[in-house]
Amino acid sequence: MTQSTALAQIIDGIALSQQLRADVARRVNVLKARGITPGLAVILVGENPASQVYVRNKVKACEDAGLYSVLEKYPPDLSEAALLARIEALNQDPAIHGILVQLPVPAQIDAAKVIEAIAPAKDVDGFHIASAGALMTGMPGFWPCTPYGCMKMLESIHFDLRGKHAVVIGRSNIVGKPMALLLLQQHATVTICHSATKDLKAITLQADLIVAAVGRRNLLTADMVKPGAVVLDVGMNRNEAGKLCGDVDFAGVREVAGYISPVPGGVGPMTIAMLLVNTLEAAERAST
Ligand code: NAP
């Protein structure tokens, strides 16, 4: 006897990000009518091919939404002092409301110093210690774009987190930890898993929501997911054919989960949309 199974609903990050970007464009026009154009400075040091694609996409998204954006490219041997001086100049530049330094930076530059050099009021990536502290204590600040985008995806499916068990796999400062804090803020019971976690499957099987943010293909398979659970896939990997894929075995998990975000077309476009939202909000805050 065959059992009929409904496939999980797809959380379409492209469609949702387009809605958010259209809303940003409307709010940008309101600011422009007051003589303010939100401005983002994107700094790229070196020639990392993936970084080049990311910064190009970010700058194009800004232009499409009517923001001012400037892409500053520097050679791989740029000194740390020169980069810090440039950031300080941008901190003082009234046309720039958001500053983003694309990571990773070359080895001679200390990424932590770079992040801390950005004025918290312009920290649209949300990586500064002041932003992390604000998130942890529930104060106003900038949330890192990827977990912020995940929260918007959950909002789009009206997923009420109160009392739900959310399992975040990965504990990086840019995805896993802020993701867990945002879920906690919405009253989920949160478990954070990492490379030393024992019996990941026993934990994920209890989850109403799983956020996979590891960077390992097929980390999450169907046998690890409770029927009906919501699965957000943050991972970005390549399969043998060189095709972009996430951390989740999409075809398998789709047969068990209630909702699932695909890769590509899921969290990635949301991350860019939230960068625009943060930059717009930086400009709105600066203008009040
Ligand atoms: P990261 O800094 O390398 O962190 C990966 C995390 O995964 C670490 O906390 C690590 O644990 C954990 N981990 C590794 N192996 C594991 C295992 N077998 N079981 C459970 N946890 C394990 O990476 P990241 O910057 O957070 O990014 C994670 C993924 O998301 C990457 O694929 C990245 O490309 C992608 N990403 C996507 C976007 C987007 O916009 N879509 C944005 C950012 C990142 P330890 O801490 O113990 O080492």
Side-chain angles (χ1 to χ4, degrees), residues 57-258:
N57 289 343
K58 289 170 185 176
V59 168
K60 175 154 189 325
C62 278
E63 286 166 0
D64 290 349
L67 287 86
Y68 165 68
S69 74
V70 49
L71 172 58
E72 299 189 4
K73 288 186 179 179
Y74 295 102
D77 60 353
L78 181 77
S79 71
E80 183 182 275
L83 179 57
L84 295 178
R86 187 60 202 131
I87 291 170
E88 186 44 33
L90 291 167
N91 282 341
Q92 305 300 331
D93 184 343
I96 296 298
H97 302 96
I99 303 169
L100 179 159
V101 178
Q102 186 64 44
L103 300 177
V105 284
Q108 75 278 11
I109 297 173
D110 180 345
K113 268 196 204 167
V114 169
I115 291 168
E116 298 317 314
I118 296 171
K122 298 190 178 189
D123 176 38
V124 289
D125 251 343
F127 296 166
H128 195 285
I129 285 178
S131 303
L135 170 57
M136 194 182 146
T137 52
M139 302 290 281
F142 294 109
W143 294 346
C145 301
T146 300
Y148 191 6
C150 289
M151 294 306 286
K152 285 282 173 193
M153 291 175 117
L154 296 175
E155 201 181 294
S156 77
I157 60 164
H158 309 290
F159 188 66
D160 180 6
L161 283 156
R162 179 178 288 272
K164 299 279 172 33
H165 187 188
V167 171
V168 179
I169 317 175
R171 58 171 165 182
S172 70
N173 290 336
I174 64 168
V175 189
K177 280 186 214 159
M179 184 77 244
L181 287 169
L182 287 169
L183 295 167
L184 187 63
Q185 222 171 67
Q186 294 299 313
H187 316 292
T189 301
V190 183
T191 303
I192 307 175
C193 300
H194 44 77
S195 65
T197 296
K198 288 187 182 140
D199 202 354
L200 182 64
K201 177 178 168 179
I203 298 167
T204 56
L205 272 174
Q206 298 171 32
D208 303 301
L209 164 69
I210 302 170
V211 182
V214 170
R216 203 163 131 181
R217 210 180 129 212
N218 291 335
L219 176 95
L220 191 78
T221 46
D223 58 317
M224 299 168 77
V225 177
K226 182 167 84 173
V230 175
V231 176
L232 298 183
D233 192 352
V234 178
M236 285 201 304
N237 313 294
R238 298 267 165 197
N239 67 14
E240 302 90 351
K243 199 172 161 283
L244 188 65
C245 62
D247 289 348
V248 176
D249 169 23
F250 182 81
V253 171
R254 201 185 167 188
E255 299 202 359
V256 184

Side-chain angles (χ1 to χ4, degrees), residues 4-28:
S4 72
T5 50
L7 291 179
Q9 293 198 51
I10 306 288
I11 308 179
D12 182 348
I14 296 176
L16 184 56
S17 68
Q18 279 167 351
Q19 283 172 27
L20 287 164
R21 285 161 67 158
D23 183 53
V24 167
R26 273 191 296 275
R27 285 164 66 189
V28 166

